[in-house]
Amino acid sequence: MPAYKYSFFKPAYLISLVATIFLLNYTTHAKQNEGYDLDADAPIRIGVKKRIRDKDCKVKTAKGDRISVHYVGTLYKDGKEFDSSHGRDSPFNFHLGRGEVIPGWEMGLLNMCIGEKRKLTIPSDLAYGDVGAPPDIPPGATLVFDIELMDILEPSGEDDDVDYYERSHFTEL
């Protein structure tokens, strides 16, 4: 057996090095989702990229709120950017829960704190479906949005420090 002066010339080390390089290369390409979309009826994926501590969160988004967000939208399949509020230098404002945005946003932006950032991976049934939004969003496309809640412009009043249990036990007089 040959005596190796330096450990990085040992066959076991070289095999380990080659395997590591292969795995790094594979994971880099896997981030592009290898050219596929999620099943149309898959559930939405909601990831929190920046969390706001409960003690720092005075109010959370609720249905009916008029909110202001910054976002970047990309295709899940290949990572191609199709829209961004940053390019317009102004946030996007809308009412949550009134059908002004795709269903995936309606679901994925509830209970957010100002300053929170989320990553939404939205299957086509909760986005633009089998029609898409040509030319940038093809039919059946899964969409990925990186979204930051900038402000709650007009709170709806639906979450005024009353939890669900308390609301569900009130009756109209």
Side-chain angles (χ1 to χ4, degrees):
M1 178 171 251
Y4 296 100
K5 185 174 182 179
Y6 300 104
S7 63
F8 56 86
F9 288 120
K10 291 182 180 177
Y13 179 79
L14 290 175
I15 291 171
S16 176
L17 180 64
V18 170
T20 301
I21 291 170
F22 173 78
L23 288 174
L24 287 173
N25 187 40
Y26 176 76
T27 56
T28 300
H29 292 294
K31 289 181 181 178
Q32 295 177 351
N33 301 307
E34 300 188 19
Y36 71 91
D37 283 304
L38 297 177
D39 290 338
D41 61 351
I44 186 173
R45 297 177 184 175
I46 303 171
V48 178
K49 296 179 78 174
K50 179 183 176 188
R51 186 176 307 278
I52 305 300
R53 295 181 297 182
D54 286 338
K55 70 176 189 159
D56 297 327
C57 183
K58 306 296 183 225
V59 63
K60 293 184 177 187
T61 57
K63 286 184 180 180
D65 289 350
R66 185 166 180 266
I67 65 174
S68 181
V69 300
H70 263 303
Y71 70 92
V72 175
T74 58
L75 298 176
Y76 180 80
K77 191 177 211 172
D78 60 11
K80 178 183 173 202
E81 184 178 310
F82 60 84
D83 194 14
S84 173
S85 63
H86 297 285
R88 293 185 288 278
D89 289 329
S90 67
F92 176 59
N93 304 328
F94 65 97
H95 285 93
L96 191 58
R98 294 191 184 170
E100 296 176 10
V101 293
I102 60 175
W105 274 38
E106 300 278 10
M107 297 166 65
L109 300 180
L110 287 173
N111 299 310
M112 275 185 87
C113 298
I114 295 171
E116 185 175 335
K117 294 180 182 180
R118 290 188 181 174
K119 180 177 185 172
L120 306 180
T121 304
I122 304 173
S124 64
D125 278 2
L126 298 174
Y128 296 100
D130 292 334
V131 177
D136 297 322
I137 301 173
T142 299
L143 307 179
V144 178
F145 289 95
D146 287 309
I147 302 176
E148 179 178 7
L149 180 63
M150 305 305 292
D151 200 1
I152 299 175
L153 302 170
E154 298 170 15
S156 66
E158 287 189 22
D159 70 343
D160 292 332
D161 296 323
V162 178
D163 68 17
Y164 175 78
Y165 177 80
E166 290 172 327
R167 274 199 309 257
S168 67
H169 287 80
F170 283 117
T171 56
E172 294 292 324
L173 298 177

